[in-house]
Amino acid sequence: MPVPVLQFGTSRFLQAHADLFIHEAREAGQDIGPITVVKTSPGPERSNRLAHLARPEGYPVRIRGLVDGLRIERDLTVTSIARALDAVRDWDLLRQVFAQEAALVISNTGDAGFAVPPADRRRDFSDTTCPAGFPAKLLALLAARFAAAAAPLLILPCELVAYNGQELRRILGGLARDWSAPAAFTAWLSDGVTICDTLVDRIVPSAIEPVGAIAEVYALWAIAMPKGLELPFCHEAVLPVDDLEPYLRLKLHILNLGHTWLAGEWLRGGRPPDETVREILSDPSLRQGLLTLYREEVILGFASAGLGDEARAYVAKTMDRFDNPYLDHPLRDIAADHAIKVERRCGAFLDWVRQHDPSLVLPRLQGIAGRAPQ
């Protein structure tokens, strides 16, 4: 049976990530989709994008980057989206679609997507009007589905929040208590609605107006799947896993740590104010400094946890991503909140490595994180 998809969020990231993967799965003959896209924020912002997303001719995605040092360029037309709704304007129709059609729900609602406005906590469970925030919208729609049929549902949040599925379930549970939800609904929410932790990764630096995106080659959608449950489609970039932590660690302590090390070198001064990641790596001494840090400390740290081979492969992919000739990633953007990022990416890595090998000394990283040798 086809698996209709309901997607919250219209971002260019989703256009070049989940929407593209589902398009390619459909092209391969898999019964997934089509997608109904939902604009969750009120007001006219992105209304033009919404109007163009579901056109039958589709929208363009341009893939540009490096693989093993070779340039890759692909132009695609994505046709997986069949309908586009505004949550506020089309709330009654959205309730119907969610209750009767959707089998898979995807969300990517921005940095503040999981925020809960105070007014959303003061609702009653029987209230059928459109709430303000995304979590309350989702819970209200789940209530409509429960009332209609209580059919099982799979939710894959793509927000950039660690263990995003667990966090979304925690928020929904709190709202259900605030709304005095009946015990039968709470039991169905626990047993009939599967919410997975996911990790998404693809740099999508530019939009194509009015709809479309330019994206790097690398893409990952790692999904922690409960035992006995299978994803309703497959794609080479979609990775069902038992444990999400290794993928979170690789991204945080190689890709993000490398960004932070480069930003630290840029912040020392004397560098061009608009310098990008690719440009700073054209400095041979800094390039060698980053490669040495990866080789002599970061990979050793991962090896202590049994992930040395995975770290080596991820470093190679990361350097291809950093060298992408089509991607301009300003260091001034990466340098924001630098001290916090140093602690989360370097300090947290040292703490994690110490759990596996307390005797391992990583002097460069200890110096960056301001940690005295143990």
Side-chain angles (χ1 to χ4, degrees), residues 102-180:
L104 169 63
V105 171
I106 298 168
S107 70
N108 188 298
T109 53
D111 293 340
F114 283 0
V116 179
D120 282 346
R121 296 198 178 277
R122 296 192 292 268
R123 287 173 61 95
D124 184 84
F125 183 76
S126 61
D127 190 340
T128 59
T129 61
C130 180
F134 165 65
K137 285 184 176 71
L138 181 58
L139 188 65
L141 293 168
L142 287 165
R145 187 180 183 91
F146 173 75
L153 188 67
L154 174 62
I155 300 177
L156 302 178
C158 298
E159 285 78 5
L160 295 177
V161 174
Y163 300 101
N164 47 18
Q166 297 177 48
E167 178 64 9
L168 181 58
R169 183 174 288 283
R170 183 191 67 78
I171 294 169
L172 292 174
L175 280 171
R177 290 189 294 273
D178 291 340
W179 296 4
S180 300

Side-chain angles (χ1 to χ4, degrees), residues 156-159 161 164-165 196-200 221-224 244 248:
L156 302 178
C158 298
E159 285 78 5
V161 174
N164 47 18
C196 297
D197 291 326
T198 78
L199 173 67
V200 297
W221 191 1
I223 303 170
L244 202 61
L248 290 167

